[in-house]
């Protein structure tokens, strides 16, 4: 068996931090949210961050969530269709601190990337083709 892609990753986030989490991915990074209104209206227990046509984050808010320490899952990487300059401009405009900026290997080769921490404490690697 060979995987063709990661369909989704399910992230637990604190209920009291959902607004900041949603704003980071939607407003600051430019991703679409799906089922967010239904989540806020109490019709669904989770919502999606649409990373691309075939990849989403399932966002499952919980009353209490252990703080991500990087000991079990260190980070997840998202390949984006913007230049590194555009990604850095988004990060700067959002007031988010860059943890690391580098060129790193991944599934399809070496690419420029930047690591940031999202509002729930997860480390996200944004990779670009340029």
């Amino acid at each position: 068996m060979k995987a063709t892609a990661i369909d989704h990753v399910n992230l637990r986030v604190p209920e009291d931090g959902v607004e900041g989490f949603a704003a980071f991915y939607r407003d600051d990074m430019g991703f679409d949210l799906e089922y967010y209104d239904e989540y806020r209206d109490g019709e669904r227990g989770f919502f999606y961050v649409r990373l691309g046509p075939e990849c989403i984050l399932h966002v499952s808010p919980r009353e209490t969530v252990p703080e991500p320490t990087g000991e079990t899952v260190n980070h997840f990487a998202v390949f984006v269709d913007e230049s590194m300059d555009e990604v850095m401009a988004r990060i700067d405009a959002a007031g988010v601190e860059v943890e690391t900026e580098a060129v790193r290997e991944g599934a399809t080769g070496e690419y420029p990337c930047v690591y940031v921490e999202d509002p729930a404490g997860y480390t996200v690697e944004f990779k670009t083709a340029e």
Side-chain angles (χ1 to χ4, degrees):
M1 177 182 336
K2 292 184 181 178
T4 59
I6 292 178
D7 180 76
H8 71 274
V9 174
N10 190 315
L11 299 180
R12 305 266 195 246
V13 301
E15 287 176 346
D16 63 359
V18 168
E19 294 296 325
F21 185 90
F24 173 77
Y25 283 97
R26 179 192 57 219
D27 304 335
D28 298 335
M29 297 297 111
F31 295 107
D32 290 330
L33 301 183
E34 297 178 5
Y35 303 111
Y36 188 61
D37 291 338
E38 291 85 344
Y39 162 75
R40 291 187 69 206
D41 291 342
E43 298 169 14
R44 291 178 66 101
F46 62 98
F47 62 95
Y48 302 161
V49 175
R50 173 67 58 184
L51 299 174
E54 298 177 0
C55 186
I56 58 176
L57 297 177
H58 279 188
V59 183
S60 300
R62 298 289 187 264
E63 186 175 331
T64 59
V65 178
E67 183 178 332
T69 63
E71 295 299 316
T72 54
V73 175
N74 179 269
H75 70 279
F76 61 94
V78 179
F79 217 115
V80 297
D81 64 354
E82 293 184 351
S83 70
M84 186 53 67
D85 288 341
E86 291 169 309
V87 172
M88 293 302 287
R90 284 183 180 276
I91 290 168
D92 185 52
V96 175
E97 183 179 334
V98 172
E99 292 180 0
T100 305
E101 187 176 356
V103 175
R104 299 265 168 88
E105 284 185 57
T108 59
E110 284 190 348
Y111 294 95
C113 60
V114 61
Y115 294 77
V116 299
E117 186 175 291
D118 76 14
Y122 293 104
T123 299
V124 185
E125 174 186 356
F126 292 110
K127 299 180 81 118
T128 69
E130 25 178 300

